[in-house]
Amino acid sequence: MAGATHLTGAGNGQILVRRAPVSLHSLNHMTDTQRAVALVTGASRGVGRGIAVALADAGMRVFASGRTIDGTALPAEIVRVACDHTDDEAVTRLFTRVDAECGRLDVLVNCAWGGYERMVEDGRFTWATPFWDQPRWRWDAMITTGVRSAFEASQLAARTMVAARRGLIVNISHWAAQKRIGNTIYGIAKAATDKLTRDTAIELRPHGVTVVSLYPGLVRTEAVLAAGVFDLSNSESPEFSGRAVAALADDPELLTLTGSTLVAAALAQRYGFTDTDGRSPRPLTLDDV
């Protein structure tokens, strides 16, 4: 895109971008072989599903993976691939298929996550209990299904991206990486995700590959809407984070952001996109959460 890019620090490890608005449909004019290829893990519902939809709307060829992806309502052009991201062989088959069908991978969004499951067990809300009372399965749901799957997917994506000397890996993370928010294991998982971002970014930067952590705000996922207890006045659609990823992928100076933690709503202000309803959510800060 034309127009200068200006980088400003915002504290808390964020780098914010000020540049002219970009078109989320700029990739639509590419031929099929030129189209950017994206893989979104954990796309069966919630933020992952929204990101897959938004990237397809931006003109990318999108693969969406998840355990229950076959039953997910997605646009017909999105390729659904059933995959349990704790199954190494299934994950390898997923990346082999993307390579066989496309010969390239431009964007990986690591959104696979099992940490919000079974918050209530036997009538007891266990999410916020002290760490010594936490059910041990929750460690695997957050660390194995979350952090380990992001590491493995990043490994496989990096091999393709390094060879091509281009690519973007986005790890969906949260402010819990920087502040205790309700659950100790949650904080460990998100801190590990941000550390994964920073260290892999150092290794991949010489090869032209960018890695960032992306913090959504309060997202109107199926679970949030069903709960009926949240103030949605400053909430975001699941597609909003996908628009942030598309804008990042369209930035010619993307590599300057590698290793950063970025807030989706802050990127909207600086890249010039809005949510699906035309609104611009207010970016949250560490003090807000």
Side-chain angles (χ1 to χ4, degrees), residues 202-254:
I202 291 171
E203 295 185 39
L204 287 171
R205 181 176 185 133
H207 304 282
V209 179
T210 299
V211 190
V212 300
S213 285
L214 181 66
Y215 291 6
L218 176 62
V219 182
R220 297 187 297 276
T221 63
E222 300 90 338
V224 166
L225 294 176
V229 297
F230 295 98
D231 177 2
L232 302 178
S233 59
N234 191 52
S235 62
E236 304 166 4
S237 72
E239 292 82 5
F240 186 66
S241 291
R243 291 187 172 197
V245 175
L248 284 168
D250 204 34
D251 187 344
E253 297 186 23
L254 174 63

Side-chain angles (χ1 to χ4, degrees), residues 10-12 14 16 175 178-179 181 215 234 263 266 282-289:
N12 301 322
Q14 300 173 53
L16 305 179
W175 294 103
Q178 304 177 36
K179 176 181 182 179
I181 303 178
Y215 291 6
N234 191 52
V263 177
R282 176 178 61 84
L284 299 180
T285 68
L286 194 60
D287 292 334
D288 294 319
V289 297

Side-chain angles (χ1 to χ4, degrees), residues 29-45:
H29 303 292
M30 292 184 175
T31 66
D32 194 55
T33 56
Q34 291 175 318
R35 289 170 67 197
V37 175
L39 168 60
V40 183
T41 73
S44 297
R45 59 183 180 272

